Amino acid sequence: MSKLIHSQPICILALQLWLCAVSTFASAGNEMAAGTTQTAGLMWNRTGLPAVFPLQVKTPAGQDYFLTLIDAESGEDAMAAYIAGGAFFKVLVPPGEFRLKFAAGVDWQGEEFLFGSGANTHVFELNETFTFEIQNLTVKAGHLVNIMEIEPGQAVQSSAKAQLICQTLRRTYPSRGLPYGKDRFVPQTGNRHGIISGNGLHRYLGERRNEKNTYPTPHEHYFFEPEFSVTSRYCG
């Protein structure tokens, strides 16, 4: 009986120490969740399609934003990006029709908890559907979205306009060269080989001898293979 009485305070002390340890780990876990940092930019793309169309989003400072593109036809999440409030943000997105859904808050805690429970996370979705596509074979059509004001309990004020990238294909030709399969040479005077160039058309000159003199003879005309490059610029 005496041993049982003396062991009771020890058990109570052990229980108190265990509860303190649990409380400490829980507090540390909450601090880690609140202190999670996320780099602004693309987080994931689940469409399997290349992201080539521009989406620029302007946001007020004071809080950050978790942006999700939702496929307008299937309703599934297609792409996600993180936006630092008030900072310049632009991301390339895949082709398709999407709705834009935002979660806004201060302390990012990961995709599961967003910016925290209750009023800590403000979720809103824009009414408009945004189409990202190629127009007229040479224009990448994207959008610029401006989130102007967010007031608790009120509809978010926003605006949107098209953002277009026009692409131009440029073709260039080398200025000098030889017909395919010919060895390189340096044009010289006298009876050596040479090149005649004009308007992209090049002629190869060979040698031809007779008893009295030597003079060049034109061979068949040929074209150099053109080189192509693509230039892009914002045009709307």
Side-chain angles (χ1 to χ4, degrees):
M1 185 69 176
S2 176
K3 291 182 179 180
L4 183 61
I5 293 175
H6 287 292
S7 63
Q8 185 175 2
I10 297 176
C11 292
I12 294 174
L13 178 60
L15 178 61
Q16 290 175 340
L17 291 174
W18 181 80
L19 291 175
C20 288
V22 171
S23 176
T24 300
F25 283 120
S27 176
N30 290 335
E31 291 178 359
M32 290 176 62
T36 300
T37 58
Q38 175 64 46
T39 302
L42 176 67
M43 296 179 66
W44 43 261
N45 176 8
R46 296 174 180 169
T47 65
L49 299 174
V52 295
F53 298 93
L55 172 61
Q56 183 177 348
V57 182
K58 297 181 179 181
T59 56
Q63 57 186 351
D64 290 350
Y65 301 82
F66 175 66
L67 167 63
T68 306
L69 274 68
I70 303 173
D71 188 285
E73 183 176 353
S74 66
E76 297 181 355
D77 294 348
M79 198 189 90
Y82 193 85
I83 304 172
F88 176 83
F89 175 83
K90 179 176 287 186
V91 68
L92 297 178
V93 307
E97 295 186 8
F98 303 102
R99 303 194 311 272
L100 303 187
K101 181 179 179 180
F102 294 84
V106 177
D107 296 318
W108 177 247
Q109 300 180 23
E111 292 187 48
E112 182 178 358
F113 300 104
L114 300 177
F115 297 96
S117 60
N120 292 323
T121 299
H122 181 196
V123 178
F124 60 93
E125 183 176 323
L126 303 186
N127 296 326
E128 186 176 352
T129 298
F130 297 88
T131 301
F132 298 86
E133 61 182 357
I134 294 289
Q135 297 178 354
N136 301 324
L137 300 179
T138 60
V139 178
K140 294 180 179 179
H143 299 274
L144 188 155
V145 177
N146 187 9
I147 308 298
M148 294 177 288
E149 189 175 358
I150 301 177
E151 295 293 340
Q154 297 182 7
V156 174
Q157 297 183 24
S158 65
S159 64
K161 67 177 183 179
Q163 188 172 82
L164 307 178
I165 297 179
C166 294
Q167 296 183 311
T168 304
L169 182 65
R170 299 184 60 186
R171 180 176 60 182
T172 58
Y173 291 93
S175 60
R176 284 182 173 272
L178 285 173
Y180 298 116
K182 299 293 182 181
D183 295 332
R184 293 180 59 86
F185 70 99
V186 178
Q188 299 180 10
T189 59
N191 62 351
R192 302 303 299 273
H193 299 148
I195 291 179
I196 295 177
S197 304
N199 299 325
L201 183 63
H202 299 258
R203 181 179 296 173
Y204 172 65
L205 302 180
E207 291 182 352
R208 186 174 180 179
R209 294 178 180 274
N210 57 23
E211 296 179 355
K212 296 183 178 180
N213 55 15
T214 300
Y215 57 93
T217 301
H219 288 243
E220 60 181 332
H221 296 309
Y222 65 93
F223 288 95
F224 285 108
E225 182 178 358
E227 298 175 354
F228 295 94
S229 62
V230 178
T231 58
S232 300
R233 60 183 178 85
Y234 284 98
C235 53

